[in-house]
Amino acid sequence: MNIETLWEKAAEARKSSYSPYSGYAVGAALLCGNGKIFTGTNIENAAFSATNCAERTAFFKAVSEGEIEFEAIAIAGGKADEEPSGDCTPCGVCRQVMAEFCKDSFSVIIQKNGQPKGLMLGELLPMAFRSENME
Ligand code: THU
C-alpha cells in the first residue's frame, strides 16, 4: 500500500474525531502485517489528561483484536470540519506506544504542510526504551 492511500484513510477517520475542547481533529490509519487496517481518532475529555490520541486509539483497537505485527501508521490532522492542514506528528506518548510494538524501521507517515511524508520510528524516537533494556 502506498503512503498516499494509507494517509487518505487517516484523513477519512478524522470524521469520527471527538475533539470538542481543542477543535483539532486527528485521524490515524494503522496497517498490520496481515494487511488489515485499523483506524483511530482523538477522543478528548473534560478532564484533559484523559484524552486519547488518534494513534493510540488505532493501536489499542488493533492490539485488543489480537494484532501484534505492524507495518505502518499514517496520521492526518487539522481544524475540525476543515481539510488536513499544516504539520501533524505523533506526541511523545504515542511514539513510546509505537516503540512497544514496532521496530525502529516501522514506517510513520506524518503530515507536513498538509501532505503525507514518510519517516521511520527510529527517526522520531531515537534510542527508545524497550523491554530489551530490562534484560
Ligand atoms: N493529537 C492526536 O490525536 N495525535 C497527534 O499526533 C497530536 C495530537 C490530539 C490530542 C488532542 O485531542 C488534540 O490533538 C490537540 O492536542
Side-chain angles (χ1 to χ4, degrees):
M1 171 168 295
N2 66 35
I3 73 170
E4 279 81 13
T5 305
L6 194 62
W7 186 75
E8 277 160 20
K9 290 185 188 301
E12 173 77 16
R14 293 177 66 238
K15 288 183 184 154
S16 307
S17 167
Y18 178 76
S19 42
Y21 304 106
S22 71
Y24 188 77
V26 185
L30 176 62
L31 176 63
C32 304
N34 60 11
K36 278 193 205 166
I37 293 173
F38 286 81
T39 59
T41 65
N42 53 334
I43 304 168
E44 297 187 345
N45 194 286
F48 293 172
S49 62
T51 291
N52 208 59
C53 291
E55 299 90 319
R56 274 177 288 144
T57 301
F59 264 92
F60 295 157
K61 281 172 67 178
V63 174
S64 66
E65 296 292 327
E67 303 301 331
I68 203 87
E69 288 187 7
F70 303 107
E71 288 197 1
I73 190 167
I75 303 143
K79 286 187 184 142
D81 303 321
E82 292 183 12
E83 293 299 306
S85 65
D87 299 349
C88 190
T89 54
C91 79
V93 174
C94 289
R95 293 177 199 203
Q96 185 63 34
V97 168
M98 290 176 199
E100 180 66 24
F101 300 104
C102 307
K103 297 190 171 79
D104 282 356
S105 58
F106 176 66
S107 170
V108 183
I109 301 154
I110 60 139
Q111 177 182 307
K112 184 85 187 153
N113 291 325
Q115 297 297 320
K117 177 181 164 69
L119 294 174
M120 288 195 311
L121 178 59
E123 297 176 88
L124 289 163
L125 187 64
M127 298 181 69
F129 185 80
R130 291 188 168 92
S131 58
E132 303 90 90
N133 293 82
M134 294 183 281
E135 283 166 7

